Structures are given as structure tokens and as C-alpha cells.
Amino acid sequence: MQKKLLAALLGLAALAQVHAADVTTAMLANTAKDTKEVLSFGMGTEGQRYSSLTQINTRTVAKLVPAWSMSFGGEKQRGQESQPLIHDGKMFVTASYSRMFAVDLKTGAKLWKYEHRLPDGIMPCCDVVNRGAALYGNLVIFGTLDAQLVALDQKTGAVVWKEKVDDYAAGYSMTAAPLIARGLLLTGVSGGEFGIVGRVEARDPMTGQLVWSRPTVEGHMGHKFDKDGKASDNGISGTANKTWPGDLWKTGGASTWMGGTFDESTGLAYFGTGNPAPWNSHLRPGDNLYSSSTVAIDVATGQIKWAYQNTPNDSWDFDGANEFVTFDMDGKRYGGKADRNGFFYVIDAKDGKLQNAFPFVKKITWATGIDLKTGRPNFVAANRPGDPTKGEEGKKGSTVFSAPAFLGAKNQMPMAYSLTKLFYVPANDWGMDIWNEPVTYKKGGAFLGAGFTIRPIFDDYIGAMRAIDPKTGKIVWEIKNTAPLWGGVMSTAGGLVFYGTPEGFLKAVDARTGKELWKFQTGSGVVAPPVTWQDGGEQYVAVVSGWGGAVPLWGGEVAKKVNMLEQGGSVWVFKLPKS
Ligand code: CA
């Protein structure tokens, strides 16, 4: 009896402990300001990647040294694009091939590891990457390459729930960090190169049960779900065939592969959508809503409040998937987006009205600009790849040189916003030869109808870290980089901007001038965003290292230029020496 009572009391104590460490909706709403923890992708759901910490600053950063490093191990390495999360004395970091690690923050010792068992037939388009996890309650949740969501116990790594999101054999996969907003788990899907249908879904983060689902291809029905999982219609997403001819809306792409951001003041979640499928735009005359767009979704209802299409009738794989980062300007709430198509957009976060749009790369061939009145691009018709039905024997359309390349003026690497009122954008100046070919949809097959070769534009660099003023469209400073930039950015109140390079360096530069103040060679390419936090009076910076991602796979002439870069897989943590 006494034993039983003791066990019960211990049980209660354990329960109380778990509750003390639980991640709550209130904590997530405040995480951008909380300097002790990093509870979400984007270092705050709005995705500014800004920290108010100042111990590591323009004067002290030169002394920054490693505190510890941990290897992800394994025979398989490839691209490591993950942003670590920091909570309850632990780091939660995902790795290639749908792996997750929990690490002791003080010592760098591995606490547990979860390796998702992947089937042979997975079809990630652009390497076996994962960009991070979400925290809620006692769970750490991430998406896998076979399109599942897995929720693990933060303490033990045990699987608490697992849900199949969609069919990997049809080309669905998941690589983005899930977003938690107002107590809901919001996720997208990858697979735009295989004719999947993009969508945003909301789930109960504690159980994985669906709450609503919202497709991002016009013609598909959205749904809400009751407690028993019974679906009812949530309103059709526009009119079938209005912007999509024939049956193409059924395999229309618009994948939500980068996940979303959430703004507390608007109550809206912002998800970028990828290319319309197939790439051959002559098969689908019309705008092809909501491909290559930002959709703003009311988290409470799952309804699309507004959408802004960056590239109507996209012909260049200019996925509009890039992050929409909300910020204050002139007393209003706006969102900034550095689109793959080469233009930086400033959009009213509440109603989607375009405020400003300007180039953030040197060369753009597909449009001469964005009309601020209509919000539409001024297309250069001659620079759209030609219609294959009008080409030689109906097999290949005319080839055009296009800039940016389809890997984008910016790709998955997230930018940062700072108290300098500047955005820090990891950009790439490159182009491609692109042509169209006939194509028909086949489940699980590439659905492109296009061929391409990516080429550098300039001899001396491809990547360029740029400080951009969203108000004026001016590039305040830039730092050129030989290889294409593929890692994210972080800004701090210490007057610093941190970013990584494929050449292996994590760098810290002066946020106002771009002057390089510190760098460290991590041993492999950095294609992931850094984070920072404070623990026991000391400020730490962490970044994942491991070259890979889309560039070595799809980069054409550029891939050849960077084929000497070595793979890896580790996480590094830095701090100032105790003086
Ligand atoms: Ca795409």
C-alpha cells in the first residue's frame, strides 16, 4: 500500500515536472522576445530571425570560440538544412534522412536519437533534407521524407503519435519545419515536381488529429473535421477551370513545401506556394491560382483571407514558396518576401495589398518590373520558353536564357530582419537555358515538360549577402560569395548578421556596413540558418553544417564549379571565452 502511494506520488511529481517544461501557446506567442529559448522555426513565428541579445556584438564577436560540436554520424550525410530548437536545457535538431537528435545544451552530449524508417520509393526532389521541428506541450514534431508527421516525447524520444499526411509514391514528401499557431499544428507538403496538390493543414498538435485542410490549387475542396474525424466542406477553393484549363487543376502542384509564418496581430498564417505543374506553361494558359503565390490563411477557420500571386502562369519554376516575414513600417504591419523570381515584395499583412516591389538581384529577364497599381508583372514575352507544339516536329520549344535560374534569386535559405530596419537576404545571381517539351501526368513521375542548364552570370561570384531597405528598395551593402549561398541568416541587437557559406564558414558581419568581423570553418558547407540564446549569463550561437541540398543535384554548370565541396553532418555551438 505504502509502495503504491509512493509510486502515485512519484507519478504526480513526474507529471508536475513535465507540465513545468510544457511548451504553451503563450510561450510560442512570445518566443521572438524570449532570449533564453528558441521555440520555433524562424526564431519567432513571424520569422524575423532577430535576437535582442547583445553580449556577442561588433566589439566582442572576434573572440567567439566553439563550445561543443556533435556529429549526426551515419554513413549517409547529404544536405543539412535544419534550424535547431532550444528548450528546457536541450537542443532539438533534425538531420538528413528524417533523423532527429536531442542534445544536452551544456555538454553537447547526445540524449536520444530518432531515425525514421524510410521506404525505398521516397521521392524528394531536392535532396534528403529536413529544415527543423516544432515544439508543443511535451512533444517535438517533424515531417518526414515519406510524408508523415511524427511527434516524439521531448524527454525520451519515444513516438507519441504518427500520422500519414499523404502518399509518398505519388511524389509527396515533407521537409519544412511545422508551424504552431494559436494551438494548431500547421503544415504544408512538398512534391511540386510530381504533380501533387499543395495544401495547408491544421492539426491538434497533441494528437495529430486533423482540424482543417485548405488546398492551394483552385478547384479543390477544403475541409474541416469534427472530433470524430468526419469531414465537411470548408468552401471550394475558387472555380474549377477558371484559371486552370481542362483537368490540369487535378495535378496542379503549388506545393507548400517551405511551410509558413504566423503573425499574432493579424491572426493569419502565410504560406508560400510552389510552381504550377507541369513547368511547361503553354499547357495551362491562365494565372493558375494559387501557384507561385503567398496565401494568407485565417488560422481559426482555414479560409484563405487573401492571396498575392508573384508569378502568374509561371514558366520558370519560380516557386513562390519563400517565407513571408511580417514587420512594422510607418505604423503599419507589412510582410517582406524575397521571391525566387528576383523581386522583393512588400505587402500589407492584413489585406494583401502590394506596397512595393523591386529587384534584389542584378539580372531579371522574364519581367521588366512589377506594376504597383495592378500588382502584376510586366512580362517580357520573348523571354518565356517557347511552345513545343510550335517547335521542330512538335518535340521541343525554343530555348531562352532566363535569369534568375529556377533555383532562384533566393531559395529555401531564410532571410532575417533587424532593428536596422533592413532585411538581410542571401541572394544568388545566376541564370539558365530553359526549354519546354511535351509531357503527360503519370503518378510518381517527374511532371515538368522542361529541360534546363543552370549557368553562372558573373565570373567572380554567384552568391551575394545583401542588406535591403524595404522602404526604398535600395541595396545598402552586399558581400559577394564564390559559391551560391544556401544557408539562412540571423540578426542580433549586438549589431551583427550571421550567415553560413557552402565553403564551410559561419560568418558574423557588421549589420550596418557588411564588414566581416568573424568567421569559423565548420568542416563542411553551411546550408542552414543559425540561432542564438542565453543560458547562465552566457550567449550562445549554433548552426548546423553539412553541404548538400538542391545545388549539387540541379545546379548544371554551377554544380560543376562547386563539386569539390565535401559533405558532412554536425551541429556547432559557439560562445565567448570566460574572461
Ligand atoms: Ca518547384
Side-chain angles (χ1 to χ4, degrees):
M1 187 68 196
Q2 230 177 0
K3 227 178 183 177
K4 231 180 181 175
L5 189 67
L6 189 65
L9 281 172
L10 280 172
L12 273 176
L15 207 65
Q17 259 178 358
V18 167
H19 279 266
D22 273 5
V23 175
T24 63
T25 302
M27 284 160 74
L28 285 165
N30 187 54
T31 183
K33 293 186 189 102
D34 176 9
T35 55
K36 290 205 164 69
E37 305 210 305
V38 180
L39 297 181
S40 78
F41 189 75
M43 298 174 63
T45 59
E46 63 270 67
Q48 288 190 358
R49 297 185 176 276
Y50 168 75
S51 168
S52 59
L53 289 173
T54 56
Q55 188 180 72
I56 301 170
N57 57 48
T58 51
R59 279 169 289 111
T60 60
V61 70
K63 296 189 194 114
L64 206 57
V65 289
W68 54 262
S69 173
M70 191 204 74
S71 170
F72 296 143
E75 291 169 40
K76 299 170 174 177
Q77 296 186 325
R78 307 283 290 269
Q80 312 291 354
E81 295 183 351
S82 179
Q83 182 218 292
L85 298 173
I86 308 297
H87 173 58
D88 193 28
K90 298 179 193 72
M91 172 187 286
F92 300 95
V93 60
T94 61
S96 57
Y97 293 96
S98 305
R99 291 175 290 169
M100 166 102 69
F101 295 82
V103 192
D104 184 293
L105 267 189
K106 285 259 188 293
T107 64
K110 183 177 74 185
L111 298 171
W112 54 256
K113 166 170 77 168
Y114 170 82
E115 289 189 275
H116 190 69
R117 184 186 273 180
L118 291 166
D120 288 335
I122 52 164
M123 283 187 284
C125 74
C126 309
D127 206 3
V128 287
V129 298
N130 185 278
R131 300 195 184 87
L135 297 169
Y136 196 77
N138 63 326
L139 303 179
V140 53
I141 306 162
F142 80 125
T144 64
L145 291 166
D146 60 344
Q148 295 195 33
L149 278 165
V150 181
L152 307 167
D153 185 291
Q154 288 171 13
K155 281 212 159 67
T156 63
V159 176
V160 176
W161 61 259
K162 207 190 277 192
E163 286 286 327
K164 177 183 167 180
V165 173
D166 216 312
D167 181 7
Y168 68 83
Y172 285 91
S173 59
M174 294 176 88
T175 52
L179 166 70
I180 306 245
R182 304 254 162 105
L184 289 173
L185 176 74
L186 304 183
T187 54
V189 290
S190 307
E193 272 54 59
F194 303 100
I196 60 100
V197 175
R199 62 180 188 261
V200 179
E201 286 180 339
R203 290 168 192 271
D204 179 340
M206 296 312 290
T207 63
Q209 195 180 9
L210 269 171
V211 176
W212 53 255
S213 175
R214 186 68 184 171
T216 50
V217 177
E218 190 170 43
H220 289 269
M221 188 70 79
H223 291 98
K224 55 187 171 189
F225 300 86
D226 66 15
K227 284 227 167 355
D228 302 321
K230 201 169 162 281
S232 58
D233 292 348
N234 195 19
I236 195 165
S237 167
T239 308
N241 285 322
K242 196 174 165 199
T243 64
W244 288 91
D247 283 341
L248 277 174
W249 61 278
K250 293 179 181 167
T251 52
S255 62
T256 41
W257 63 267
M258 269 190 53
T261 55
F262 173 72
D263 189 277
E264 285 291 340
S265 70
T266 63
L268 299 175
Y270 306 92
F271 277 71
T273 63
N275 61 285
W279 287 16
N280 178 352
S281 66
H282 301 282
L283 293 171
R284 41 173 177 74
D287 283 354
N288 316 132
L289 295 172
Y290 297 100
S291 64
S292 299
S293 303
T294 297
V295 294
I297 298 180
D298 183 343
V299 169
T301 64
Q303 298 287 345
I304 294 176
K305 272 275 159 132
W306 60 259
Y308 177 84
Q309 193 170 37
N310 303 91
T311 316
N313 194 226
D314 180 2
S315 185
W316 304 268
D317 188 33
F318 286 153
D319 288 30
N322 298 96
E323 69 281 13
F324 185 87
V325 178
T326 50
F327 67 108
D328 290 322
M329 187 172 82
D330 301 332
K332 266 180 101 170
R333 198 71 170 159
Y334 290 98
K337 180 181 181 183
D339 198 276
R340 243 159 89 160
N341 71 17
F343 290 99
F344 191 101
Y345 297 82
V346 180
I347 290 174
D348 189 309
K350 272 204 188 94
D351 61 19
K353 193 179 173 295
L354 182 66
Q355 173 74 16
N356 202 0
F358 50 84
F360 68 97
V361 286
K362 295 279 160 69
K363 193 177 173 101
I364 297 176
T365 58
W366 67 278
T368 55
I370 309 297
D371 186 327
L372 293 184
K373 282 218 175 71
T374 64
R376 295 183 71 87
N378 300 314
F379 285 104
V380 180
N383 287 342
R384 178 179 291 268
D387 184 347
T389 63
K390 290 174 183 145
E392 221 173 285
E393 295 166 8
K395 284 202 175 116
K396 190 180 167 188
S398 58
T399 301
V400 297
F401 179 77
S402 177
F406 72 88
L407 286 180
K410 186 173 97 49
N411 200 289
Q412 56 83 29
M413 53 287 197
M415 61 186 182
Y417 179 76
S418 182
L419 79 173
T420 55
K421 296 185 177 173
L422 301 175
F423 277 95
Y424 298 95
V425 182
N428 287 315
D429 284 314
W430 49 12
M432 64 179 166
D433 295 326
I434 182 168
W435 60 90
N436 286 154
E437 296 160 355
V439 65
T440 47
Y441 175 79
K442 194 170 153 268
K443 185 190 165 184
F447 192 38
L448 302 184
F452 42 79
T453 305
I454 291 187
R455 302 184 185 286
I457 299 176
F458 304 108
D459 289 337
D460 58 332
Y461 79 100
I462 298 162
M465 183 65 218
R466 293 191 168 122
I468 292 172
D469 185 334
K471 205 165 172 174
T472 64
K474 279 208 178 102
I475 293 170
V476 176
W477 56 255
E478 71 172 8
I479 306 168
K480 290 174 181 172
N481 197 73
T482 310
L485 290 178
W486 210 256
V489 188
M490 173 176 75
S491 68
T492 73
L496 295 171
V497 169
F498 287 86
Y499 70 101
T501 70
E503 289 89 342
F505 290 104
L506 178 66
K507 296 187 176 190
V509 304
D510 189 314
R512 293 188 188 277
T513 64
K515 188 183 173 209
E516 187 179 296
L517 301 172
W518 174 84
K519 68 177 172 183
F520 180 86
Q521 174 56 252
T522 63
S524 181
V526 178
V527 292
V531 293
T532 188
W533 70 96
Q534 185 170 287
D535 184 15
E538 290 186 288
Q539 185 184 352
Y540 293 82
V541 171
V543 76
V544 162
S545 169
W547 170 239
V551 176
L553 299 173
W554 296 103
E557 296 297 320
V558 171
K560 284 182 204 162
K561 264 186 107 158
V562 296
N563 65 8
M564 72 298 188
L565 298 171
E566 301 290 354
Q567 296 183 13
S570 58
V571 57
W572 284 91
V573 174
F574 305 91
K575 68 183 193 73
L576 294 170
K578 275 194 177 140
S579 53

